[in-house]
Amino acid sequence: MNALIISAVLGVVMMFSGIVLKQNSAVRSVAFAGIIILLLVNSLEMCGTVLFKVDINNLIAFNRFTLVFNSIAFGATFIYLLLTAEDMEKVGKSYAEYFALVFFVLCGVVLVTSFKSLLILFLGIEIITIPLYILTGSDKRNLRSNEASLKYFLLGSFSTGIMLMGIALIYGHQGNFSTEGVSFLPEGVKPSVLLVAGMLLMLFAMAFKVSAVPFHFWTPDVYDGAPTVFTSFMATIVKAAVFIAFIRLFEDSFGALQSGWQFIVALIIAATLLVGNITAVFQQSVKRMLAYSSISQAGFMLFALFALNTVDAKEGIILYAAAYSLATIGIFAVLNKLGDYSYEGFNGLSKEQPLLAGTAVVFLLSLAGIPLTAGFLSKFYMLKAALGTGKYLWLVIFAVLMAAVSVYYYFRVIQAMYFKDSKAQVPVSASAYYKVGLVLVAFLIILLGVYPEVLLSWLYF
Amino acid sequence: MKNVLQIVYLIPLIPLIGFLINGLGRKYLSKTLIGLIGCGTVLASFILSIWVFIQVKEGNVHTAHYFNFISVGDLKIPFAFKIDQLSSLFLLIITGVGFLIHVYSTAYMHNEKTDHYGRYFSYLNLFIFSMLLLVMGANYVIMFIGWEGVGLCSYLLIGYWFKNTEYNKAANKAFIMNRIGDLAFLIAIFWIIVRVGGVNFDDVFAVAKGEVQNRRFTPADITIITMLLFIGATGKSAQIPLYTWLPDAMAGPTPVSALIHAATMVTAGIYMIARSNVLYSLSHTTMTVVAIVGLATALLAATIALKQNDIKKVLAYSTVSQLGFMFLALGSGAYVAAVFHVMTHAFFKALLFLGSGSVIHAMGGEQDIRNMGGLSKKLKTTYWTFLIGCIAIAGIPPLSGFFSKDAILISTFNLKFGIVFYVIAGLTALLTAYYMFRLLFVTFNGSFRGTEEQKHHLHESPIAMTLPLIVLAFLSVVGGLVGIPEVLKGNDLIGKFLSPVISPVKHAHDIAHSTEILLMIIISVLVLVVIGFAWARFKNYRHKEETGFGKVLENKWYVDELYEKIIVQPLHNFGGFLKNVIDTKVVDGLVNGAGRVINYGSRQLRLLQSGQVGIYVLLMIVGMVFFFVIQFFIRK
Amino acid sequence: MIPVLLIIIPLLAGVITFFFRNDKIVRSWGLLTSLVILALSVYGVSLSGDSSLLTAKADWLQSLGSSFFVRIDGVGKILTLLTAVSFPIIFTGTWNSQYKKPNSFYALMLLGQAGLMGVFVAADALLFYFFWELALIPMYFIASIWGGEKRIRVTFKFFIYTFIGSVLMLVGILILQSKTGNHSFSIQAFNSLQLTNKEQSWLFWLFFVAFAVKMPIFPFHTWQPDTYEQSPSAATMVMSGIMVKMGLLGVIRWVMPIMPGAFHSWGDVAMSMSVIGIVYASLIAIRQDDLKRLIAFSSIAHIGLMNMALFAENLSGVQGVMLQMFNHGINIIGLWIIVEIIERKTGSRRMSELGGLAQKAPSMAIFFVVIALANIALPLTNAFPGEFLMFNSLLTARTTQLYAILFTVFAGLGIILGAVYTLNMIRKTFYGETNAVTAVVSDLSINEKIALSVIVGLIIVIGIYPQFILDITNNFSETLANKRFIPQAIITK
Amino acid sequence: MVTQVLFWILSVWAIFSALMVITSKNPVYSVLWLISTFFAISGHYIMLNAQFLAIVNIIVYAGAIMVLFLFVIMLMNMNKESEPQKYKWLKMAGTVAGGCLLLVLVAALKDSDIRNQQALVNEGNIGLIKNLGKELFTTYVVPFEISSVLFLTAMVGAVVIGKKE
Amino acid sequence: MPVNYYIFLSLALFSIGIVGVLTRRNAIIIFMCIELMLNAVNLLLVAFSKMHHLKALAADAATTAGSDGQLFVFFIMVVAAAEVSVGLAIIVMMYRNVHSVDVNFLNRLKH
């Protein structure tokens, strides 16, 4: 609750800071202060101190899982700001507004991770997506940015329509919007078709938001077209939050129907892994490759949905959210510094910028799921959870084979950085903040890869 | 002094030390010192061997166990030596003849550079070591170690002049052909292990004799084991089909040919079979095969020898032929005769080779007898000793060859259709006499056909070379005396000596003594006739091109070419096929193909991302319909 | 404690190496570290099997059921010893090789050593998997940075290939873990599993493919010759000498005891693959002109034999493999050292361009001949007892008698073909007349002589008295061969 | 009976208008037909006694939002047939796919367990402003406040997008 | 009225909206079709709300059951309004740059 209110307030504060403060660096400082406050109040709530007593009528509920994820989201946002806040200046003039939107998105993130009512889910998702439409289009003179924004907007509102139809059907079945309407289904009773149809529509809509195949089409274009600084944000924190919402929704509302939708989820996972990984192979732009890779990573994250309700899935998705967010923010931050998004742009980076290259290697290894990085353990949790269900071994084998394919495109970047010589690089200017941020991210990735309890123990105590 | 048996390990060890000293110090030692070490170590072993022989003759046999070479579970393979009648006899031959050849070598190889000289002697010492290991080993594995060791030394010595590619190829050929046999030997060892659980001769023979409970060989086992061992022997002892390496092995220095490719190593197969006589006697099939292969080899090699012009090649084919004789004897069950022939053959063939070495030395490296002639005047010692060797090998009484060869010929009657074997063997013996005396006459008689320069250089070899010739000539003359058969009122010393190891053969088709003597006389007379014929033909040799059948013989029945065509080339081509087609196109092609499929898939799949919002929505709707259908109408 | 040190020392030393700048210091530091590890490893090997120093366990990833559990058992002793012996030899033998950025090179080498040690001592499946990947990555970097012209493509193929294998293994590990009672990854838990035949078959292939790729055996071998050819020699030595043993270790530790039924019932298939590989690789080796590729293919044949011997499921085979794993590592490193010297001095690896080196570099020729002969398992060299035991095991392999005989004979063809290509290699490279390429060659330098002398010394000593190696693993092998196969192998159809 | 007739009239009106929205070539006509649809739907609301929504629908949707649309269309000067008739197959496919979805949904929902349930028509007071307002400012006060955040974002968004660079 | 009628009516309108999204290329009209979809949902929600109200009335005459459905419609309208403002802003921005609102021109980003 703390974070929900504070983040909304911070959004407003940032709005006005743009008017009050003339210096971008000052705005930035306010934003940093804001995110730290957000982290603090969220930590307070984890310790049991709720600052605002609001009668929420069982529409929202915060539990450990939510709070831990929110901390991850805020932490990741902090790192994200650390690494990219300066570069946001390049996007456009509305510097303070970008931060305001980021905070509003965080407000939405809090909502979608804590909803107990489909209404809150709907509002939360809208609060997340509407700022994103804008951030995507924030590079106004850039036609690619315009195009991405419009595509995102059209497809996004379409999926909203789908989701609302789903909600309506569910409402028709249960008569309210609570997510606990069908917490259990008696043995042998066939679920109402209204409910099942509504559930499927919700599944499609959420699959759209997390960019699972075949609802992923917006992802590459939008990620590619959006300003890189914002791609980084929406591909990581937002996506992870929607995942949490996805899992929360299916756990609370449709957990009882698991055997009914598991097969479809399995198909979606397989398709997501296939399309995400295979298509990424041939990409010539690293940015676009990362867009496809985010699809493939989503395929892995969906295993948490597939397995649902197991400890492995819960811990795994938390770890995955952290690992994936950190690594992706990191690699986007590096990408952002290079003018050239093609693979050739990375050539010889290890000689020009050993620190950038070295940390980028850590990020890529983590994304590829190499041991002792957080990426490995998170994938490992996912596989373990999936195997724990005892079903669909083929899916797991397929997933690991696809993980091997993913090594192909991630390592192409490493090859470019380390094994190829550079053609005269544009000099890269990196501030101390930035470098510290990179090292911090790399360290966190390795820490989580070696000792994930650091994070996971927060789920229990 | 019984305790000499306690220090038998010194017999192989001393040459090994010689090998190490000469091998490591070849750059620092003088030639004299190298020669001294080389000869001295072998001499020391020889003296010990005599000593051992005396002990054995008194009936003291001994198995010395040093340490477990390999011990895995129940399988224990000790590093152990077995000193008995058979091995002590071979010790004598090896160290004795070996010593003489070492001495000979000091002079023969004197023109080599010091480090190569050292290398040569170290190889020779290593060979002696390996050969001693082979005969002293108390089990098949130690024997196999020696067996491969001598193969290695043979390889090293054939390729001693390593700048010459042809020589190196000959060395490779020798090693590889040996390896084919070695593989069979190895498999035989494994088979024995399966049945016996060990490889010690004593254990194996005990099982074969049925003296061990719970462990026995089936007849099939025996046949398989003995056949495999025999294949091993064909490799080492140059029998059909693996004989072609031996003539090529003449690329090595002549003393090496004398030692390794005539006197000792090539007889390892005979030693092994004689050692395993207990097993062989149990398998009639194998015995017959051995006899037939031996006889065929003897005949084939003899025919080839008829038309060879390289002095060493003639001797080489003669060796192959003589080895064939020995196998004939083994196949007939006359193990003693075979061993006896090993001994006499060691004397006269070493003599002949060293003699040829002396000739080559004198001719400045020339080996083609067509370019020789009339050497008897200049090389008196060589000539006379060579003549003795020829007489001995031709089998004229009372020289050594006569007795051993006769023992073999007579033994053929043990076989079914013995008379056929006898006739063919006899014919081969006649051929032997013919080609040996052709060699003698063409080389030493008539007029000199070489260059003026060679003529100018002709001289008798130094004492270090002629002395061994004389000693060996002497042995060739008297060597047969130890095996005079009872028919001739002899007492068959060698047969009696070996009887503890080799059980006397029961003559199945015993022939009357009178017949035996008659046959001896007939064959001796025929040999003399053949020699006379050779004298008539070759006393004034003039070279002329061979035609027709002669040409086939001169080209060794085209066996090498045949092997090349049906084995080497196809394998070579098959390897190329595997390398260029299967490995790169198929196996790697599949791997790369998987990558290519993914790449292709990637190129096609990304087209789905058409950039058109309408198509995106369409595909999403299609997906939704698809999932709805699955949920509601397929997986109800 | 010792296994932990074996991992930690090279790891830390490797990280430190990154910060050195002076070439000489880097090299000395690398050598020093490897010698320390050697001493430690020798001490570890000398301890009795139940010594507490050989085991270490610490909490780690408890929630997953894993722990940092390391243990040096019989096979671990052999392989840690091999690793510890190899690195000083490699460092000494390649002392003269020049690298740009030697600090990175040596650092990665040491990190690779840490990874390898980890693989060999890990007694927890997850830990094993970690090290399995970690050993790969430094080698991948070394090969890709310092390798030959086609290095990037070739080493990448190698990486992906082995990665695919290892992720399948990961699935296998996970399945096994889910079957254990207390959801543990420890090897004891795995060892005490009772699996049905069908499960075993699945698991067998999930694991075996990973190991087969690593070894490699036919038809998973195609990464290997290219990689060996393109990698810098030091990396090639590590890969061929030590890394391929990871596959064998995997079979010994993670397949044989855990899925004995499938191990038995798929034995014929695995052995067939190996035996085809032996003949196949040998025939291809005969046609190779490139020294590195020739040795690479010969290695495939050798490893194939080792794999066969494992699947023979008897003590002789297991012990033979134990011995031969060590020997093969030593021998092939020796060959690579000389090939590297030849390449450095002549600029060529093509046998058709070489020749006559024995005149220019007699010591090198002698070393090479001895090592090459060891490579073809000549008696009184180290490989003979190993190959003897392995061949011996084939004839009594737990399969039908006909298969056993066929396997023995065809594997035996490898001995003959091995002689063919090895002797040809010696002949074409060292014998004959010198030519323009080889005329400039000088003989070995002192460090190379030291390295090669050590190798030759080991070859001879083990060749004459192999028992001291066999004794190290004897108990382990007996347990493996007797306790696990016989009762469990019977449950198969 | 009257409600039946009314229902059918309103339904046919709504569907016809909706079809006209998607088939009209001129965007302005589309907007007008959409407004017509909204009126039909508002009629349904009134029939269902959801007076508040009916009013809001007319005022907000038909009145404000659609005028905004119309305004934008006018701004862009698109009051004529601007869409070239290419990509026929895509339209076909789209129609077929949409039809399939309808078919599948109808087929799935036609035997839902509530098919015999009635919706209360012309009665019930939950749709009255008083009741809804009470609910909105008690139970749903949090979402109500949250929707203000939504409007803030929309506002900021409009500023960001609309600001001259 | 049987609630089934409303369901089918809503589905029909919803599908018409979808078909419109699929077939039209003018971004504004696509957006309008999406609005049509939302209205279909609204109608359905109201119908369901009345249905649940009817059900609850049988037990309790003073119930407010079903009012949440109508409130949801209210929120949908709120969101739709916000969305329209942003969406039209984006469309206008696009139009300013390329002088077209045809979605087929949006093909710089593909593959």
Side-chain angles (χ1 to χ4, degrees), chain A residues 140 146-147 171-172 288, chain E residues 52 68 97 106 108-109 111:
Chain A
K140 282 176 281 184
N146 290 173
E147 179 182 333
Y171 176 70
R288 206 170 170 82
Chain E
H52 289 299
D68 48 358
N97 282 328
L106 306 178
R108 276 176 202 79
L109 300 164
H111 303 321

Side-chain angles (χ1 to χ4, degrees), chain B residues 340-465:
Chain B
F340 184 30
H341 198 59
V342 166
M343 187 181 88
T344 57
H345 178 256
F347 297 150
F348 56 69
K349 189 52 65 64
L351 167 62
L352 288 168
F353 263 117
L354 294 185
S356 75
S358 178
V359 170
I360 294 165
H361 191 68
M363 292 290 292
E366 178 64 65
Q367 299 196 5
D368 194 332
I369 54 172
R370 287 171 294 193
N371 299 333
M372 297 178 186
L375 300 182
S376 57
K377 289 147 217 146
K378 289 281 175 71
L379 309 172
K380 286 231 163 46
T381 323
T382 308
Y383 173 63
W384 285 109
T385 50
F386 204 90
L387 180 61
I388 290 169
C390 284
I391 297 170
I393 195 173
I396 296 171
L399 272 66
S400 59
F402 169 76
F403 297 107
S404 55
K405 186 178 286 178
D406 187 63
I408 292 170
L409 288 175
I410 293 300
S411 73
T412 57
F413 284 103
N414 293 340
L415 293 158
K416 240 184 200 169
F417 308 115
I419 185 73
V420 180
F421 281 89
Y422 184 86
V423 170
I424 298 172
L427 178 67
T428 311
L430 296 183
L431 289 176
T432 307
Y434 178 75
Y435 66 70
M436 282 314 299
F437 278 91
R438 164 180 175 266
L439 178 67
L440 179 77
F441 296 147
V442 173
T443 310
F444 289 97
N445 296 80
S447 53
F448 186 70
R449 297 180 292 276
T451 60
E452 276 306 307
E453 198 187 352
Q454 284 171 330
K455 191 167 187 175
H456 182 69
H457 268 283
L458 275 182
H459 57 87
E460 183 55 283
S461 302
I463 183 75
M465 286 168 71

Side-chain angles (χ1 to χ4, degrees), chain C residues 116 119-120 132 135 211 214 242-250:
Chain C
L116 288 166
V119 170
F120 297 148
W132 180 271
F211 302 142
K214 203 80 171 186
I242 312 171
M243 276 182 90
V244 296
K245 311 302 186 305
M246 286 162 64
L248 292 164
L249 171 101

